[in-house]
Amino acid sequence: MDARFEDLLPIMAKNLGGEGLMNELCNGFQLLMDGDKGVVTFDSLKKNSSAILGLQNFQDDEIGSMIKEGDIDGDGALNQLEFCILMFRLSPQLMNGAERLLEEAFLQDLMR
């Protein structure tokens, strides 16, 4: 994917906390989803990524790749959970932080 974006999720997580970040991700999902289907489709992402997010430079193959990468259940669209998981996966800093927290929890569990 050639599109570049600034990873704002770590900043949002720091400022909003976990619950606030999840609420914002849910709001983002609502903005991008197809209102009739209740999921983010290729068409809704193409339309709304340009209109709402100002990402006019996304090519069809890039949009298709985003849907495919996040589509866990294979239905060709992103439900809210898949969307949130994809957003975390696209944020290297959050993924690294999550790995660190898992390691710490694992070590604490071993010490018991």
Side-chain angles (χ1 to χ4, degrees):
M1 203 182 282
D2 292 332
R4 306 262 188 263
F5 66 94
E6 185 177 353
D7 185 5
L8 298 176
L9 285 184
I11 296 167
M12 291 173 64
K14 182 179 178 183
N15 292 337
L16 301 173
E19 187 174 333
L21 175 61
M22 291 309 296
N23 286 337
E24 286 303 312
L25 286 176
C26 290
N27 289 338
F29 173 80
Q30 296 292 322
L31 291 172
L32 296 173
M33 76 174 193
D34 178 310
D36 295 330
K37 297 178 181 176
V39 293
V40 176
T41 64
F42 174 88
D43 291 333
S44 71
L45 185 57
K46 182 175 181 170
K47 174 183 159 192
N48 296 326
S49 66
S50 174
I52 295 171
L53 301 177
L55 300 174
Q56 296 86 354
N57 295 330
F58 271 137
Q59 302 296 316
D60 285 358
D61 61 331
E62 294 172 321
I63 293 170
S65 292
M66 288 179 71
I67 295 288
K68 187 176 181 180
E69 183 175 343
D71 184 16
I72 296 169
D73 62 15
D75 66 355
L78 302 178
N79 62 37
Q80 189 167 327
L81 178 60
E82 292 170 327
F83 176 80
C84 291
I85 290 170
L86 179 62
M87 292 300 100
F88 273 85
R89 287 180 57 211
L90 293 175
S91 175
Q93 286 181 308
L94 280 182
M95 289 301 291
N96 291 339
E99 287 177 16
R100 182 183 46 77
L101 291 173
L102 282 173
E103 287 175 10
E104 288 175 11
F106 181 72
L107 289 174
Q108 287 177 356
D109 195 40
L110 286 177
M111 300 264 187
R112 289 184 189 171

